Amino acid sequence: MPESISDRKRSHLELCESSPVEYAGKTTLLEEVDFVHDALPELAVDEVQVGTELLGKRLRAPLLITGMTGGTEEAAAVNRALARVAEAKGIAFGLGSQRAMHRSPALAHTFEVRAEAPTTLVLANIGIVQAAALSTAEVEALARAIGADALCVHLNPAQELIQAEGDRDFRGGVRTLTRLARELPFPVVVKETGCGLSRRVAERLVAAGIRTADVSGAGGTSWVKVEALRADEAARELGGVFADWGIPTAAALLACRGLGLDLIASGGIRSGLDVAKSVALGARLAGVALPVFRAYREGGVAAAGAFVDRLIVGLRTAMVLTGARDLEALGHAPLVLGGRLREWVLAGGGA
Ligand code: FNR
């Protein structure tokens, strides 16, 4: 019997909680980015400004809890808890794929977080292949039903190809994004899910009318690995071959900058220094998924909130040590890029 979406969501959460689902042979390459230390910063920690804006909403820090889940009661609890964290910290919050909700509208409550997060920037979520099969009105209804501010369309061809029941036909993606960007009355954010966006893809997004993109690069959670852990023998072998597939997050950021996109950096962001480096490489926000989920599973809302606080303290520390008063200044901080990252830059970041 084919597995239901709910069963799949349950097994994804279970595997992400405790199994080795992160890249092992590839990193974000953020370790190849060095700031130049400022031994004489004319700054007090308290005057460093980490506030920013995305999609018309103010954020108290340049952070997003990226979309993870929905569709089950367990997922509903995770969404509500992490949305509370986002509201308390003044950061953005993304929901997981609403595909299950389209099939069963009764599942809408598992994505509803407005009661917990009345002022938060909340992002709805759907996969590109599902979005292609829906009318614009149907897509709009999914986001409207939960009071989201914008819609994330996720791209995950690598995951789908390893997943036994995954999609196999990715044609028409650009056409779908062009239609949604033109017809939806709220912004569309395009995100990868851990394999990264190349410059060529970013250029096609811009041509499609997309203004915001999450590069979600390699180095953090690997969805190829998650699917390989769930798969039968043949798919497991294929998953093993492609376990380290993808564009490292730092390389994806450098590839996608300069095109007028508002960039979000996710995929392996694990510290405030990673957040600072992401901003210096051109990101407006950094996004985190796995570590927030794991912190929540270990210690509830308090632990997830403490993880977010640690990111902010680390970011502020990096800003003082580079003499950057605000995120705009951090975006212009001088950087030293190591050899492996420069190889990606020389290759045009996948152009
Ligand atoms: C995800 N991610 C994800 N992305 C998406 O667009 N829709 C989804 O439904 C999900 N589901 C999901 C579940 C869980 C448990 C995790 C950990 C992640 C991908 C996520 O938003 C992000 O792009 C990647 O996980 C990379 O970030 P991290 O995990 O390395 O911080």
Side-chain angles (χ1 to χ4, degrees), residues 9 12-13 16 22 66-69 95-97 125 154 191-194 214 216-217 220-221 223 266-270 287-291 293:
K9 292 292 149 191
H12 282 163
L13 286 187
C16 283
E22 292 180 275
T66 61
M68 279 185 267
T69 201
L95 291 151
S97 170
N125 190 299
H154 70 256
K191 77 184 284 289
E192 236 291 342
T193 47
D214 180 345
S216 202
T221 308
W223 282 91
S266 78
I269 303 300
R270 299 293 179 260
V288 274
L290 192 73
F293 173 64

Side-chain angles (χ1 to χ4, degrees), residues 257-342:
R257 65 184 295 170
L259 294 172
L261 286 166
D262 268 343
L263 294 176
I264 301 169
S266 78
I269 303 300
R270 299 293 179 260
S271 70
L273 183 54
D274 288 342
V275 175
K277 289 177 177 180
S278 299
V279 172
L281 291 174
R284 181 167 277 272
L285 300 193
V288 274
L290 192 73
V292 191
F293 173 64
R294 286 187 169 170
Y296 166 69
R297 278 298 167 93
E298 268 178 48
V301 167
F307 175 75
V308 171
D309 286 342
R310 285 200 297 282
L311 292 183
I312 297 171
V313 170
L315 168 64
R316 297 179 82 90
T317 304
M319 289 173 74
V320 173
L321 294 178
T322 51
R325 189 176 299 276
D326 54 25
L327 298 174
E328 166 81 22
L330 185 63
H332 294 106
L335 297 173
V336 180
L337 305 185
R340 280 184 302 147
L341 185 52
R342 273 189 281 132

Side-chain angles (χ1 to χ4, degrees), residues 31-244:
E31 74 281 7
E32 296 271 303
V33 178
D34 244 328
F35 284 113
V36 179
H37 174 60
D38 181 347
L40 260 183
E42 290 289 338
L43 281 176
V45 176
D46 287 346
E47 68 176 330
V48 165
Q49 300 290 325
V50 296
T52 189
E53 198 194 289
L54 187 75
L55 303 170
K57 278 203 170 169
R58 288 296 303 169
L59 304 176
R60 294 214 301 276
L63 292 172
L64 160 69
I65 298 174
T66 61
M68 279 185 267
T69 201
T72 64
E73 292 310 317
E74 179 192 21
V78 174
N79 278 334
R80 284 197 295 266
L82 297 183
R84 272 173 60 198
V85 172
E87 179 78 18
K89 307 297 175 193
I91 66 175
F93 178 76
L95 291 151
S97 170
Q98 290 170 263
R99 180 185 195 174
M101 174 178 156
H102 174 70
R103 292 205 187 154
S104 316
L107 293 176
H109 72 281
T110 67
F111 296 90
E112 270 163 13
V113 296
R114 269 296 170 219
E116 285 75 18
T119 69
T120 299
L121 174 64
V122 172
L123 307 175
N125 190 299
I126 193 77
I128 184 87
V129 174
Q130 284 73 55
L134 300 181
S135 69
T136 306
E138 287 174 311
V139 174
E140 181 179 347
L142 283 176
R144 288 263 189 239
I146 57 163
D149 298 292
L151 171 77
C152 281
V153 177
H154 70 256
L155 316 179
N156 65 339
Q159 175 185 11
E160 296 292 343
L161 289 174
I162 305 302
Q163 190 181 100
E165 66 277 21
D167 296 315
R168 294 291 183 269
D169 183 351
F170 305 100
R171 290 173 293 185
V174 173
R175 196 170 59 237
T176 301
L177 293 174
T178 306
R179 167 171 64 89
L180 294 178
R182 195 173 50 224
E183 297 176 6
L184 283 174
F186 41 73
V188 176
V189 178
V190 172
K191 77 184 284 289
E192 236 291 342
T193 47
C195 287
L197 299 178
S198 66
R199 187 165 190 88
R200 190 182 295 170
V201 167
E203 285 167 350
R204 289 157 76 203
L205 296 182
V206 171
I210 300 297
R211 296 284 163 260
T212 313
D214 180 345
V215 301
S216 202
T221 308
S222 160
W223 282 91
V224 167
K225 278 185 132 173
V226 176
E227 295 302 344
L229 287 166
R230 298 173 58 238
D232 62 18
E233 206 171 311
R236 207 159 42 238
E237 196 201 312
L238 187 66
V241 172
F242 284 89
D244 284 324

